Each structure stands twice: as C-alpha cells, then as structure tokens.
C-alpha cells in the first residue's frame, strides 16, 4: 500500500485479539522509530518494549483500565530524558564523530549550537523539549505501523508517576510520556473497526498563504 493508503487503513484500535506481531514486523517498527526525526538528532528518549503479560496486567489499571494494555501484542513506552546534560551532549557528539569518521574537534560548532540551545534552560523546560521529541517519534511509529499493517493505539491516558514507579524509570533517568499498544484489531468487538475515518476536508484544513 502507499503511505496514504496505510494512513487511511489505520485507526486508534480500541480492542485487540492478543495475537502476536511477528518479530520481523516488530524489528521493522522499532527501526522506523529509531530513524525518526528529532531536534539536533539528539533522540532524548528511550523506547521500552513490554511483552510480559503480568507486567501489562499491572499497567492496565495505571492506564485507566484500557483493554489495549493487556490485549496488545507489545506495549511500547516512550520515555524521555529527565534532564539534558553536557555529558549527554558530549556522548552524542562522539557518536556523530564515530559514525561519520570525523574528529570531535571538527564538530565544535555543532556541539555549541546544541549546548547553547538547551543547557541554559530550566530542567522542566528541557523535559518539555524532550517530551516533544518523543511525540515526533510517536508520529513516525503510527505511520510505520500502518505501512506494516500493524494495528496500534497511541495512549496518553495513563498516570505517569505510577508508571514511572512501576518500571523504575527514575533510576534510568527517564520519565514516561506516551504509550503505544500494537497488535491485531479485534474487528468483532471493536466498534471503531468499521467506522468511517473522520477528518476535516483539505479545504477546511490547509491554509495557503
């Protein structure tokens, strides 16, 4: 399918069968997320992949009882950095240097641009910036899932502090931002499976200047 066809096919799946997404498709989905755009290319977040049924059962009440938490094949948690530090920026610059066969000294202006933009901000502002990068990755994940014919549900409806505690995210220097349930739609029990997608018409949505 084309990307437009894939986006037309996908919807926020409300019920899932519990059937497993293949390892090959999961690898492709995670690779798409890894390749997502992010500010400066910094990728200030991690993706936690949860397949364990017992752990998903503990997450469900934190997610206000949403059935996708336990009916999904995999539950992905998008967890952003709690802070952005000089050490993290230096590690990223080293990665750029190693990947592109450059010296760190050659990347001084690039490092300066990142540090100048981010390091002077309050911690809360840096967290908010990192959260927005996780949202960019979620957009990529949704498009990729549609192209791979994986059903998915983006989830903001959960209690972040409780999920962070359950997963031990504070010790990892992370905090939860979003979850993505992936699996197979249960068309027989999902009232949205046959519903027509509702979006504003192009002329009501796009403003040409």
């Amino acid at each position: 399918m084309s990307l437009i066809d894939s986006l037309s096919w996908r919807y926020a799946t409300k019920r899932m069968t519990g059937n497993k997404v293949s390892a090959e498709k999961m690898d492709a989905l995670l690779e798409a997320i890894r390749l997502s755009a992010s500010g400066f290319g910094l990728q200030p977040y991690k993706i936690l992949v949860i397949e364990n049924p017992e752990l998903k059962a503990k997450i469900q009440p934190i997610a206000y009882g949403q059935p996708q938490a336990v009916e999904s094949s995999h539950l992905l948690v998008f967890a952003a950095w709690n802070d952005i530090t000089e050490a993290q920026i230096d590690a990223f610059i080293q990665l750029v240097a190693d990947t592109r066969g450059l010296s760190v000294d050659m990347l001084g202006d690039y490092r300066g641009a990142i540090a100048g933009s981010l390091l002077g901000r309050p911690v809360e502002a840096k967290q908010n910036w990192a959260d927005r990068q996780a949202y960019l990755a979620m957009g990529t994940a949704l498009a990729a899932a549609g192209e791979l014919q994986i059903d998915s549900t983006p989830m903001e409806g959960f209690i972040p502090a409780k999920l962070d505690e359950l997963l031990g995210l504070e010790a990892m220097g992370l905090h939860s931002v979003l979850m993505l349930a992936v699996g197979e739609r249960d068309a027989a029990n999902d009232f949205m499976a046959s519903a027509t997608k509702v979006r504003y018409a192009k002329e009501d949505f796009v403003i040409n200047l």
Side-chain angles (χ1 to χ4, degrees):
M1 293 196 298
S2 70
L3 178 59
I4 298 300
D5 288 338
S6 298
L7 293 175
S8 297
W9 174 83
R10 70 148 301 277
Y11 72 105
T13 308
K14 305 305 180 187
R15 299 298 302 268
M16 295 181 173
T17 64
N19 290 341
K20 289 297 179 184
V21 175
S22 71
E24 292 77 16
K25 283 191 174 184
M26 284 303 303
D27 286 345
L29 177 60
L30 292 169
E31 180 66 359
I33 298 170
R34 188 182 74 86
L35 294 172
S36 180
S38 70
F40 302 109
L42 192 59
Q43 294 176 284
Y45 52 84
K46 302 287 187 183
I47 308 298
L48 287 75
V49 182
I50 300 171
E51 193 174 1
N52 183 288
E54 290 78 17
L55 183 54
K56 289 195 291 184
K58 292 178 181 178
I59 291 173
Q60 187 178 27
I62 294 173
Y64 302 107
Q66 294 179 79
Q68 305 96 316
V70 292
E71 293 175 353
S72 62
S73 168
H74 298 72
L75 195 59
L76 308 186
V77 177
F78 291 66
W81 296 355
N82 286 339
D83 197 1
I84 298 171
T85 65
E86 288 206 36
Q88 288 167 316
I89 293 173
D90 286 340
F92 173 67
I93 291 297
Q94 187 65 60
L95 175 62
V96 175
D98 293 343
T99 301
R100 296 180 174 168
L102 304 172
S103 70
V104 168
D105 291 342
M106 295 174 66
L107 298 168
D109 289 345
Y110 185 29
R111 185 201 182 280
I114 301 172
S117 175
L118 297 175
L119 290 182
R121 303 185 189 190
V123 170
E124 182 179 359
K126 287 189 280 187
Q127 289 181 353
N128 289 338
W129 183 84
D131 291 354
R132 292 197 296 273
Q133 310 317 304
Y135 272 88
L136 287 176
M138 173 64 83
T140 300
L142 292 171
E147 193 162 88
L148 291 163
Q149 296 282 277
I150 301 171
D151 285 299
S152 62
T153 310
M155 302 170 72
E156 292 181 297
F158 62 92
I159 305 168
K162 290 189 176 181
L163 185 62
D164 294 355
E165 181 180 6
L166 175 65
L167 301 179
L169 295 186
E170 178 65 31
M172 304 180 200
L174 301 169
H175 62 278
S176 56
V177 180
L178 294 157
M179 293 195 295
L180 180 67
V182 297
E184 176 186 76
R185 68 186 66 177
D186 183 356
N189 293 299
D190 188 347
F191 71 97
M192 289 298 294
S194 60
T196 302
K197 184 182 286 287
V198 178
R199 295 291 187 272
Y200 285 108
K202 182 180 178 181
E203 56 268 24
D204 297 322
F205 179 69
V206 176
I207 300 174
N208 292 304
L209 301 177

